[in-house]
Protein backbone atom coordinates (compact mmCIF):
# COMPACT_ATOMS: atom_id res chain seq x y z
CA UNK A 1 0.00 0.00 0.00
CA UNK A 2 1.37 3.42 -0.92
CA UNK A 3 1.82 6.21 1.63
CA UNK A 4 0.15 9.62 1.62
CA UNK A 5 1.64 11.89 -1.04
CA UNK A 6 2.09 15.27 0.59
CA UNK A 7 0.99 18.46 -1.16
CA UNK A 8 1.61 22.19 -0.69
CA UNK A 9 -2.22 22.40 -0.61
CA UNK A 10 -2.45 21.91 3.17
CA UNK A 11 -6.02 20.56 3.20
CA UNK A 12 -4.93 17.68 0.93
CA UNK A 13 -2.70 16.26 3.68
CA UNK A 14 -5.50 15.43 6.10
CA UNK A 15 -6.47 11.82 6.66
CA UNK A 16 -10.10 13.00 6.57
CA UNK A 17 -10.14 14.52 3.11
CA UNK A 18 -11.45 12.31 0.29
CA UNK A 19 -9.20 14.18 -2.14
CA UNK A 20 -5.50 13.85 -1.21
CA UNK A 21 -2.74 14.15 -3.81
CA UNK A 22 -2.99 10.36 -4.25
CA UNK A 23 -6.48 10.80 -5.70
CA UNK A 24 -6.80 13.77 -8.11
CA UNK A 25 -10.32 12.91 -9.38
CA UNK A 26 -11.80 14.65 -12.41
CA UNK A 27 -15.02 16.67 -12.39
CA UNK A 28 -16.89 19.56 -13.99
CA UNK A 29 -17.73 22.68 -12.00
CA UNK A 30 -19.01 26.20 -12.28
CA UNK A 31 -18.98 29.26 -10.06
CA UNK A 32 -21.76 31.83 -9.74
CA UNK A 33 -22.61 33.10 -13.21
CA UNK A 34 -19.79 31.13 -14.80
CA UNK A 35 -19.59 28.49 -17.51
CA UNK A 36 -18.97 24.81 -16.84
CA UNK A 37 -15.32 23.88 -16.85
CA UNK A 38 -13.14 20.92 -16.02
CA UNK A 39 -11.46 20.68 -12.66
CA UNK A 40 -9.48 18.35 -10.41
CA UNK A 41 -10.27 17.99 -6.71
CA UNK A 42 -7.37 18.51 -4.30
CA UNK A 43 -8.17 18.80 -0.58
CA UNK A 44 -10.91 21.39 -0.15
CA UNK A 45 -10.15 23.04 -3.49
CA UNK A 46 -10.81 22.50 -7.19
CA UNK A 47 -7.89 23.02 -9.55
CA UNK A 48 -9.18 24.78 -12.67
CA UNK A 49 -7.36 22.77 -15.34
CA UNK A 50 -9.42 24.41 -18.08
CA UNK A 51 -7.93 27.78 -17.16
CA UNK A 52 -4.48 26.20 -16.86
CA UNK A 53 -4.66 24.83 -20.40
CA UNK A 54 -6.03 28.13 -21.66
CA UNK A 55 -3.05 29.81 -20.01
CA UNK A 56 -0.53 27.46 -21.62
CA UNK A 57 0.44 25.55 -18.48
CA UNK A 58 -1.09 22.34 -19.83
CA UNK A 59 -1.44 21.18 -23.42
CA UNK A 60 -3.94 18.48 -24.30
CA UNK A 61 -5.23 19.86 -27.57
CA UNK A 62 -8.08 21.76 -25.96
CA UNK A 63 -9.51 18.60 -24.36
CA UNK A 64 -9.40 20.28 -20.93
CA UNK A 65 -11.68 23.06 -22.11
CA UNK A 66 -14.49 20.90 -23.45
CA UNK A 67 -16.76 21.18 -20.40
CA UNK A 68 -16.64 17.40 -19.90
CA UNK A 69 -14.01 14.66 -19.82
CA UNK A 70 -14.99 12.63 -22.92
CA UNK A 71 -12.58 14.40 -25.28
CA UNK A 72 -9.71 13.91 -22.84
CA UNK A 73 -10.56 10.22 -22.35
CA UNK A 74 -10.53 9.75 -26.12
CA UNK A 75 -6.89 10.93 -26.28
CA UNK A 76 -5.79 7.62 -24.79
CA UNK A 77 -3.78 6.11 -21.98
CA UNK A 78 -0.54 7.98 -22.66
CA UNK A 79 -2.26 11.31 -22.07
CA UNK A 80 -4.17 9.91 -19.07
CA UNK A 81 -0.82 9.11 -17.47
CA UNK A 82 0.82 12.38 -18.60
CA UNK A 83 -1.85 14.60 -17.03
CA UNK A 84 -1.80 12.67 -13.75
CA UNK A 85 2.00 12.76 -13.57
CA UNK A 86 2.13 16.46 -14.44
CA UNK A 87 -0.48 17.48 -11.87
CA UNK A 88 1.10 15.30 -9.19
CA UNK A 89 4.43 17.04 -9.71
CA UNK A 90 2.88 20.50 -9.74
CA UNK A 91 0.84 19.95 -6.58
CA UNK A 92 3.41 17.97 -4.58
CA UNK A 93 5.14 19.45 -1.56
CA UNK A 94 7.84 21.71 -2.91
CA UNK A 95 5.96 22.18 -6.18
CA UNK A 96 4.77 25.36 -7.86
CA UNK A 97 2.69 27.21 -5.24
CA UNK A 98 1.97 29.99 -7.72
CA UNK A 99 -0.70 27.64 -9.06
CA UNK A 100 -2.78 28.70 -6.06
CA UNK A 101 -4.34 31.28 -8.37
CA UNK A 102 -6.05 28.39 -10.19
CA UNK A 103 -7.58 26.94 -7.02
CA UNK A 104 -11.26 27.51 -6.26
CA UNK A 105 -12.84 26.60 -2.89
CA UNK A 106 -15.00 23.50 -3.22
CA UNK A 107 -17.59 25.14 -1.01
CA UNK A 108 -18.14 27.84 -3.65
CA UNK A 109 -18.72 25.67 -6.72
CA UNK A 110 -21.62 23.82 -8.31
CA UNK A 111 -20.73 20.36 -9.58
CA UNK A 112 -22.14 19.00 -12.84
CA UNK A 113 -22.10 15.73 -14.79
CA UNK A 114 -18.38 14.95 -15.18
CA UNK A 115 -18.82 13.33 -18.60
CA UNK A 116 -21.45 12.72 -21.26
CA UNK A 117 -22.85 9.22 -20.85
CA UNK A 118 -22.75 7.65 -24.30
CA UNK A 119 -24.65 4.48 -23.40
CA UNK A 120 -25.53 2.81 -20.11
CA UNK A 121 -25.59 -0.87 -19.18
CA UNK A 122 -26.48 -2.13 -15.72
CA UNK A 123 -25.40 -5.53 -14.44
CA UNK A 124 -26.68 -7.92 -11.78
CA UNK A 125 -23.32 -9.09 -10.48
CA UNK A 126 -23.65 -9.13 -6.68
CA UNK A 127 -23.85 -12.73 -5.43
CA UNK A 128 -25.54 -11.90 -2.11
CA UNK A 129 -28.02 -9.47 -3.69
CA UNK A 130 -29.00 -11.97 -6.38
CA UNK A 131 -29.45 -14.71 -3.78
CA UNK A 132 -31.49 -12.49 -1.44
CA UNK A 133 -33.84 -11.28 -4.17
CA UNK A 134 -34.18 -14.76 -5.65
CA UNK A 135 -34.95 -16.21 -2.22
CA UNK A 136 -37.76 -13.69 -1.68
CA UNK A 137 -39.48 -14.60 -4.93
CA UNK A 138 -38.49 -18.22 -5.63
CA UNK A 139 -37.15 -19.66 -2.37
CA UNK A 140 -33.52 -20.40 -1.50
CA UNK A 141 -33.37 -23.61 -3.52
CA UNK A 142 -34.09 -21.69 -6.75
CA UNK A 143 -32.70 -18.30 -5.78
CA UNK A 144 -30.05 -17.99 -8.48
CA UNK A 145 -31.05 -18.40 -12.14
CA UNK A 146 -29.23 -21.34 -13.80
CA UNK A 147 -26.98 -18.98 -15.79
CA UNK A 148 -25.98 -16.66 -12.94
CA UNK A 149 -22.77 -18.41 -11.83
CA UNK A 150 -21.56 -18.62 -15.44
CA UNK A 151 -22.30 -15.25 -17.01
CA UNK A 152 -22.48 -11.55 -16.05
CA UNK A 153 -26.19 -10.74 -16.48
CA UNK A 154 -27.10 -7.20 -17.54
CA UNK A 155 -29.61 -5.03 -19.36
CA UNK A 156 -29.36 -1.87 -21.45
CA UNK A 157 -30.53 1.17 -19.50
CA UNK A 158 -31.23 4.81 -20.32
CA UNK A 159 -28.22 7.07 -20.70
CA UNK A 160 -30.63 10.02 -20.76
CA UNK A 161 -31.69 9.25 -17.18
CA UNK A 162 -28.20 9.43 -15.66
CA UNK A 163 -27.88 12.51 -13.43
CA UNK A 164 -25.26 13.96 -11.13
CA UNK A 165 -25.41 13.89 -7.34
CA UNK A 166 -27.73 16.51 -5.86
CA UNK A 167 -30.34 16.20 -8.61
CA UNK A 168 -33.86 15.66 -7.25
CA UNK A 169 -35.64 12.47 -8.27
CA UNK A 170 -39.37 12.49 -9.03
CA UNK A 171 -41.37 9.49 -7.80
CA UNK A 172 -42.37 7.64 -10.97
CA UNK A 173 -45.84 6.76 -12.13
CA UNK A 174 -46.41 3.43 -13.80
CA UNK A 175 -48.61 0.46 -14.38
CA UNK A 176 -49.03 -1.60 -11.21
CA UNK A 177 -50.64 -4.92 -10.41
CA UNK A 178 -50.43 -6.49 -6.97
CA UNK A 179 -50.92 -10.21 -6.31
CA UNK A 180 -54.51 -9.62 -5.19
CA UNK A 181 -55.46 -7.22 -8.00
CA UNK A 182 -57.69 -8.56 -10.76
CA UNK A 183 -56.55 -5.90 -13.23
CA UNK A 184 -53.62 -3.49 -13.42
CA UNK A 185 -53.93 0.16 -12.46
CA UNK A 186 -51.88 3.29 -13.13
CA UNK A 187 -50.38 5.38 -10.33
CA UNK A 188 -47.28 6.40 -8.34
CA UNK A 189 -44.84 3.67 -7.34
CA UNK A 190 -45.27 2.75 -3.66
CA UNK A 191 -42.15 0.59 -3.46
CA UNK A 192 -39.44 2.96 -4.68
CA UNK A 193 -35.93 1.84 -3.82
CA UNK A 194 -32.21 2.39 -4.23
CA UNK A 195 -29.43 0.09 -5.38
CA UNK A 196 -25.92 0.74 -4.10
CA UNK A 197 -23.56 0.26 -7.03
CA UNK A 198 -20.27 1.31 -8.58
CA UNK A 199 -20.09 2.62 -12.14
CA UNK A 200 -17.16 1.93 -14.49
CA UNK A 201 -16.48 4.40 -17.31
CA UNK A 202 -15.15 3.18 -20.64
CA UNK A 203 -12.29 5.41 -21.75
CA UNK A 204 -11.04 3.48 -24.77
CA UNK A 205 -13.38 2.50 -27.59
CA UNK A 206 -13.47 -1.04 -28.99
CA UNK A 207 -15.13 -2.41 -32.11
CA UNK A 208 -15.07 -6.14 -31.42
CA UNK A 209 -14.40 -8.72 -28.72
CA UNK A 210 -11.68 -7.83 -26.21
CA UNK A 211 -10.07 -9.86 -23.43
CA UNK A 212 -10.60 -9.27 -19.72
CA UNK A 213 -7.05 -7.86 -19.54
CA UNK A 214 -7.79 -5.44 -22.39
CA UNK A 215 -11.09 -4.47 -20.79
CA UNK A 216 -9.33 -3.64 -17.53
CA UNK A 217 -7.00 -1.29 -19.41
CA UNK A 218 -9.91 0.32 -21.26
CA UNK A 219 -11.64 1.50 -18.06
CA UNK A 220 -10.80 5.14 -17.35
CA UNK A 221 -12.28 5.42 -13.88
CA UNK A 222 -15.12 4.81 -11.48
CA UNK A 223 -18.04 6.61 -9.81
CA UNK A 224 -20.56 5.73 -7.13
CA UNK A 225 -23.89 4.84 -8.73
CA UNK A 226 -27.45 4.68 -7.40
CA UNK A 227 -29.76 2.65 -9.62
CA UNK A 228 -33.13 3.99 -8.41
CA UNK A 229 -35.71 1.21 -8.82
CA UNK A 230 -39.51 1.07 -8.71
CA UNK A 231 -40.01 -2.44 -7.36
CA UNK A 232 -43.77 -2.59 -7.88
CA UNK A 233 -43.58 -1.37 -11.47
CA UNK A 234 -40.77 -3.86 -12.08
CA UNK A 235 -42.70 -6.79 -10.59
CA UNK A 236 -45.49 -6.37 -13.15
CA UNK A 237 -43.44 -5.50 -16.23
CA UNK A 238 -40.26 -7.58 -16.03
CA UNK A 239 -41.46 -10.85 -17.58
CA UNK A 240 -40.30 -11.83 -20.12
CA UNK A 241 -37.78 -9.13 -21.09
CA UNK A 242 -36.60 -7.78 -17.73
CA UNK A 243 -36.43 -4.22 -16.31
CA UNK A 244 -37.82 -1.35 -18.36
CA UNK A 245 -39.73 1.60 -16.91
CA UNK A 246 -38.91 0.52 -13.35
CA UNK A 247 -35.29 1.50 -13.97
CA UNK A 248 -35.80 4.49 -16.28
CA UNK A 249 -36.59 7.18 -13.69
CA UNK A 250 -33.04 8.11 -12.76
CA UNK A 251 -29.56 6.77 -12.17
CA UNK A 252 -27.50 9.06 -9.93
CA UNK A 253 -23.69 9.14 -10.06
CA UNK A 254 -21.12 10.87 -7.85
CA UNK A 255 -19.60 14.04 -9.31
CA UNK A 256 -15.94 12.99 -9.42
CA UNK A 257 -14.36 10.37 -11.68
CA UNK A 258 -11.82 8.49 -9.57
CA UNK A 259 -9.30 7.14 -12.05
CA UNK A 260 -8.23 3.53 -12.27
CA UNK A 261 -4.69 4.81 -11.67
CA UNK A 262 -5.68 6.26 -8.28
CA UNK A 263 -7.29 2.96 -7.29
CA UNK A 264 -4.34 0.82 -8.37
CA UNK A 265 -3.02 0.24 -4.80
CA UNK A 266 -6.41 -1.14 -3.76
CA UNK A 267 -6.77 -3.93 -6.31
CA UNK A 268 -8.09 -7.24 -5.01
CA UNK A 269 -9.40 -10.48 -6.45
CA UNK A 270 -13.00 -11.48 -7.05
CA UNK A 271 -14.38 -14.17 -4.70
CA UNK A 272 -13.71 -17.88 -5.17
CA UNK A 273 -15.84 -19.40 -7.93
CA UNK A 274 -18.61 -21.82 -7.12
CA UNK A 275 -18.42 -23.05 -10.70
CA UNK A 276 -15.51 -22.55 -13.10
CA UNK A 277 -15.93 -19.71 -15.57
CA UNK A 278 -15.35 -20.14 -19.28
CA UNK A 279 -11.83 -19.20 -20.36
CA UNK A 280 -12.79 -15.87 -21.93
CA UNK A 281 -13.90 -14.57 -18.51
CA UNK A 282 -10.73 -15.63 -16.67
CA UNK A 283 -8.96 -12.79 -14.85
CA UNK A 284 -5.16 -12.67 -15.27
CA UNK A 285 -4.81 -10.85 -11.95
CA UNK A 286 -6.73 -8.93 -9.26
CA UNK A 287 -9.25 -6.71 -11.06
CA UNK A 288 -11.65 -5.74 -8.30
CA UNK A 289 -11.08 -3.04 -5.65
CA UNK A 290 -11.25 -2.77 -1.87
CA UNK A 291 -13.62 0.20 -1.52
CA UNK A 292 -15.66 0.71 1.65
CA UNK A 293 -19.23 1.77 0.92
CA UNK A 294 -22.22 3.01 2.91
CA UNK A 295 -25.70 4.46 2.45
CA UNK A 296 -27.47 7.00 4.63
CA UNK A 297 -31.16 7.93 4.67
CA UNK A 298 -32.35 11.31 5.96
CA UNK A 299 -36.09 12.03 6.17
CA UNK A 300 -37.19 15.53 5.27
CA UNK A 301 -35.96 17.84 8.04
CA UNK A 302 -34.36 14.94 9.93
CA UNK A 303 -30.87 13.66 10.64
CA UNK A 304 -29.38 10.96 8.47
CA UNK A 305 -29.16 7.30 9.51
CA UNK A 306 -26.55 4.89 8.17
CA UNK A 307 -28.69 2.05 6.81
CA UNK A 308 -25.97 -0.15 5.32
CA UNK A 309 -22.21 -0.67 5.12
CA UNK A 310 -20.53 -2.98 2.63
CA UNK A 311 -17.51 -3.22 0.30
CA UNK A 312 -17.05 -3.38 -3.47
CA UNK A 313 -14.76 -6.39 -3.00
CA UNK A 314 -17.76 -8.75 -2.61
CA UNK A 315 -18.76 -8.49 -6.28
CA UNK A 316 -18.82 -11.82 -8.11
CA UNK A 317 -17.86 -10.26 -11.44
CA UNK A 318 -15.43 -7.34 -11.89
CA UNK A 319 -16.09 -4.43 -14.23
CA UNK A 320 -13.38 -5.83 -16.53
CA UNK A 321 -15.22 -9.15 -16.80
CA UNK A 322 -18.49 -7.33 -17.44
CA UNK A 323 -16.94 -5.18 -20.17
CA UNK A 324 -15.19 -8.14 -21.83
CA UNK A 325 -18.43 -10.12 -21.84
CA UNK A 326 -20.31 -7.12 -23.27
CA UNK A 327 -18.03 -7.14 -26.32
CA UNK A 328 -18.31 -10.86 -27.14
CA UNK A 329 -21.16 -10.38 -29.61
CA UNK A 330 -19.17 -7.74 -31.46
CA UNK A 331 -20.99 -4.95 -29.62
CA UNK A 332 -18.93 -1.75 -30.05
CA UNK A 333 -18.07 0.03 -26.82
CA UNK A 334 -17.57 3.77 -26.98
CA UNK A 335 -15.80 6.42 -24.94
CA UNK A 336 -18.19 7.49 -22.18
CA UNK A 337 -20.10 4.21 -21.94
CA UNK A 338 -21.15 3.59 -18.32
CA UNK A 339 -21.36 0.12 -16.75
CA UNK A 340 -23.28 -0.28 -13.48
CA UNK A 341 -21.90 -3.05 -11.28
CA UNK A 342 -25.17 -4.34 -9.90
CA UNK A 343 -26.24 -4.04 -6.28
CA UNK A 344 -23.37 -4.46 -3.81
CA UNK A 345 -24.64 -6.47 -0.85
CA UNK A 346 -22.58 -8.30 1.73
CA UNK A 347 -23.43 -11.49 3.63
CA UNK A 348 -24.93 -9.82 6.71
CA UNK A 349 -28.27 -8.02 6.98
CA UNK A 350 -26.61 -4.68 7.76
CA UNK A 351 -24.55 -4.90 4.56
CA UNK A 352 -27.43 -5.24 2.11
CA UNK A 353 -27.39 -2.67 -0.70
CA UNK A 354 -31.11 -2.05 -1.21
CA UNK A 355 -34.17 -1.40 0.92
CA UNK A 356 -35.85 -4.36 -0.77
CA UNK A 357 -33.31 -6.57 1.00
CA UNK A 358 -32.96 -4.52 4.18
CA UNK A 359 -36.73 -4.68 4.81
CA UNK A 360 -37.06 -8.13 3.22
CA UNK A 361 -39.66 -7.01 0.75
CA UNK A 362 -41.35 -4.76 3.30
CA UNK A 363 -41.98 -7.53 5.84
CA UNK A 364 -39.22 -6.36 8.21
CA UNK A 365 -39.11 -2.52 8.17
CA UNK A 366 -35.92 -0.89 9.37
CA UNK A 367 -36.00 1.84 12.03
CA UNK A 368 -34.24 5.15 11.45
CA UNK A 369 -32.40 7.00 14.21
CA UNK A 370 -35.38 9.38 14.24
CA UNK A 371 -37.60 6.45 15.27
CA UNK A 372 -39.41 6.35 11.93
CA UNK A 373 -39.86 3.00 10.14
CA UNK A 374 -38.89 2.50 6.51
CA UNK A 375 -39.61 -0.31 4.10
CA UNK A 376 -39.17 1.80 0.97
CA UNK A 377 -38.39 5.44 0.22
CA UNK A 378 -40.89 8.10 1.22
CA UNK A 379 -41.28 11.55 -0.37
CA UNK A 380 -38.73 13.97 1.06
CA UNK A 381 -36.19 11.26 1.91
CA UNK A 382 -32.59 11.94 0.88
CA UNK A 383 -30.48 8.89 0.10
CA UNK A 384 -26.71 9.33 0.04
CA UNK A 385 -24.13 6.82 -1.13
CA UNK A 386 -20.60 7.25 0.21
CA UNK A 387 -17.42 5.40 -0.65
CA UNK A 388 -13.66 5.46 -0.12
CA UNK A 389 -10.65 3.21 -0.54
CA UNK A 390 -8.72 3.44 2.73
CA UNK A 391 -4.91 3.72 2.72
CA UNK A 392 -2.40 4.31 5.53
CA UNK A 393 -3.30 7.80 6.73
CA UNK A 394 -5.30 8.76 3.66
CA UNK A 395 -8.37 7.79 1.65
CA UNK A 396 -9.42 7.86 -1.99
CA UNK A 397 -12.97 9.23 -1.97
CA UNK A 398 -15.62 9.82 -4.61
CA UNK A 399 -17.72 12.61 -3.14
CA UNK A 400 -21.31 11.96 -2.09
CA UNK A 401 -23.82 10.41 -4.47
CA UNK A 402 -27.08 11.90 -3.22
CA UNK A 403 -30.65 12.42 -4.35
CA UNK A 404 -33.91 13.52 -2.72
CA UNK A 405 -37.21 11.91 -3.68
CA UNK A 406 -39.95 14.37 -4.65
CA UNK A 407 -43.68 13.57 -5.02
CA UNK A 408 -45.01 12.06 -8.23
CA UNK A 409 -46.34 14.38 -10.88
CA UNK A 410 -49.97 14.27 -11.91
CA UNK A 411 -50.47 12.49 -15.23
Amino acid sequence: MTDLKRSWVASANSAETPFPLNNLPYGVFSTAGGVRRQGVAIGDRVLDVAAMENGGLLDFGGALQAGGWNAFMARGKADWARLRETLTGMLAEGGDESLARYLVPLAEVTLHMPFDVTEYTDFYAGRHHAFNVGTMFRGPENALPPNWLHIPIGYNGRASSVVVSGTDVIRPNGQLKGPDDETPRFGPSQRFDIELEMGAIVGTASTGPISVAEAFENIFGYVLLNDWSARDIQAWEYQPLGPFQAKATATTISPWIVTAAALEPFRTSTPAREKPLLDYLAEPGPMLYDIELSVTLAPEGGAETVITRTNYDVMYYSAAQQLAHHTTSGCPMRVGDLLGSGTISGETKDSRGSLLELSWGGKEPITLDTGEPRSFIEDGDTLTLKGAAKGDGYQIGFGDCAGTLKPARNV
Side-chain angles (χ1 to χ4, degrees):
M1 189 70 68
T2 57
D3 296 326
L4 171 70
K5 297 177 180 178
R6 297 194 65 82
S7 171
W8 55 262
V9 181
S11 59
N13 300 325
S14 166
E16 304 304 315
T17 181
F19 308 128
L21 185 58
N22 304 62
N23 193 349
L24 299 181
Y26 301 145
V28 172
F29 74 101
S30 64
T31 51
V35 298
R36 298 184 184 190
R37 52 196 193 271
Q38 286 152 261
V40 176
I42 177 74
D44 61 1
R45 295 290 188 269
V46 180
L47 183 68
D48 188 342
V49 294
M52 289 176 67
E53 185 176 52
N54 191 48
L57 294 175
L58 298 169
D59 182 11
F60 290 88
L64 301 183
Q65 300 175 69
W69 287 90
N70 296 62
F72 174 78
M73 288 190 279
R75 292 180 66 87
K77 289 185 67 67
D79 274 357
W80 302 356
R82 181 164 67 92
L83 177 59
R84 181 172 175 80
E85 181 180 351
T86 299
L87 293 180
T88 299
M90 287 177 167
L91 294 168
E93 207 166 49
D96 186 1
E97 295 192 30
S98 69
L99 294 178
R101 66 188 185 277
Y102 292 106
L103 294 175
V104 183
L106 257 174
E108 297 178 8
V109 307
T110 299
L111 297 173
H112 306 278
M113 280 289 294
F115 69 106
D116 292 328
V117 179
T118 309
E119 296 193 48
Y120 168 50
T121 303
D122 194 29
F123 285 86
Y124 186 55
R127 171 70 171 77
H128 303 296
H129 173 70
F131 183 81
N132 288 338
V133 174
T135 298
M136 275 184 248
F137 294 105
R138 295 183 297 275
E141 65 283 351
N142 296 307
L144 294 180
N147 59 356
W148 199 94
L149 295 172
H150 299 274
I151 187 173
I153 298 172
Y155 68 92
N156 291 311
R158 293 287 303 174
S160 63
S161 295
V162 181
V163 297
V164 74
S165 176
T167 305
D168 289 340
V169 175
I170 308 299
R171 182 183 295 275
N173 289 289
Q175 194 171 127
L176 313 167
K177 184 180 183 299
D180 299 323
D181 295 334
E182 291 187 9
T183 59
R185 59 187 175 81
F186 185 84
S189 168
Q190 299 302 307
R191 294 165 67 90
F192 200 58
D193 198 1
I194 60 159
E195 291 192 350
L196 166 60
E197 303 190 24
M198 295 291 299
I201 302 163
V202 176
T204 303
S206 57
T207 56
I210 60 176
S211 68
V212 173
E214 290 170 323
F216 185 79
E217 295 298 322
N218 283 11
I219 295 172
F220 178 69
Y222 295 80
V223 291
L224 303 177
L225 185 150
N226 182 354
D227 175 30
W228 302 88
S229 302
R231 302 298 185 188
D232 41 6
I233 295 173
Q234 184 177 356
W236 173 232
E237 75 176 4
Y238 83 101
Q239 295 187 31
L241 295 181
F244 180 38
Q245 293 295 81
K247 301 281 191 172
T249 301
T251 299
T252 302
I253 64 170
S254 50
W256 299 102
I257 302 171
V258 174
T259 63
L263 291 171
E264 179 68 19
F266 304 95
R267 285 173 62 173
T268 188
S269 297
T270 47
R273 299 293 163 193
E274 297 175 43
K275 294 184 181 294
L277 296 176
L278 297 180
D279 289 345
Y280 81 95
L281 285 172
E283 291 178 303
M287 292 189 172
L288 200 56
Y289 298 99
D290 177 3
I291 301 172
E292 296 180 15
L293 302 165
S294 65
V295 179
T296 65
L297 189 158
E300 188 170 13
E304 64 181 15
T305 299
V306 176
I307 60 173
T308 193
R309 296 185 190 275
T310 187
N311 194 298
Y312 185 41
D313 64 7
V314 301
M315 297 306 289
Y316 200 78
Y317 297 100
S318 67
Q321 289 172 308
Q322 293 169 343
L323 177 54
H325 178 69
H326 209 331
T327 68
T328 54
S329 65
C331 171
M333 302 302 295
R334 296 187 288 179
V335 174
D337 281 356
L338 176 64
L339 307 181
S341 63
T343 306
I344 306 168
S345 294
E347 283 191 79
T348 59
K349 182 174 181 178
D350 60 359
S351 64
R352 295 171 182 171
S354 68
L355 280 162
L356 176 68
E357 297 166 86
L358 288 165
S359 72
W360 207 250
K363 296 177 182 177
E364 303 171 8
I366 63 172
T367 302
L368 305 181
D369 291 347
T370 59
E372 300 173 63
R374 281 294 184 281
S375 292
F376 294 96
I377 307 171
E378 296 189 7
D379 292 347
D381 287 350
T382 298
L383 280 298
T384 304
L385 280 54
K386 303 171 186 284
K390 301 292 182 68
D392 185 7
Y394 73 97
Q395 57 181 326
I396 303 295
F398 292 78
D400 290 351
C401 177
T404 300
L405 183 64
K406 298 297 185 179
R409 297 188 177 117
N410 293 327
V411 176

